[in-house]
Amino acid sequence: MFKHINVSIIGDVQGVFFRRTVKHEASRQGISGFIRNEQDGTVYMEAEGPEEIIDIFSAWLKSGAGEGTHAIKTIDIVDGSFKAFEGFEIKE
């Protein structure tokens, strides 16, 4: 079963290679979607893939996105509608 998540991340996550780190991990796990900086300083992402993989990816995000160098204050993950993305991209 496939799962789609919408993610809002608040913290010091712009200008610290956060999007690149997330893209690398998403691509490594075969997750599709996108990530982008928002004008209010947050980061927004949509990701989808097999439910088991998305759950692992969500746990990775909540743990600080691997490197632990990103100051995530709040992360909000909600289920969304599957959109059949191809690949994972960084949007400007």
Side-chain angles (χ1 to χ4, degrees), residues 45-61:
M45 173 176 47
E46 293 189 27
E48 57 189 27
E51 185 172 2
E52 179 179 296
I53 299 299
I54 291 295
D55 290 344
I56 291 167
F57 183 69
S58 295
W60 176 80
L61 285 168

Side-chain angles (χ1 to χ4, degrees), residues 36-73:
R36 69 173 179 237
N37 286 338
E38 299 290 290
Q39 289 192 8
D40 64 0
T42 63
V43 171
Y44 177 74
M45 173 176 47
E46 293 189 27
E48 57 189 27
E51 185 172 2
E52 179 179 296
I53 299 299
I54 291 295
D55 290 344
I56 291 167
F57 183 69
S58 295
W60 176 80
L61 285 168
K62 290 177 181 176
S63 73
E67 297 178 4
T69 60
H70 311 295
I72 296 173
K73 293 180 182 172

Side-chain angles (χ1 to χ4, degrees), residues 3 9-10 12-14 32 34 37 43 45-46 50 54 80-81 86-87:
K3 184 175 184 177
I9 304 157
I10 299 169
D12 295 327
V13 289
Q14 288 193 13
S32 299
F34 68 87
N37 286 338
V43 171
M45 173 176 47
E46 293 189 27
I54 291 295
S81 299
E86 291 187 22

Side-chain angles (χ1 to χ4, degrees), residues 2-4 48-49 80-85:
F2 280 84
K3 184 175 184 177
H4 179 105
E48 57 189 27
S81 299
F82 189 74
K83 297 182 181 174
F85 292 121

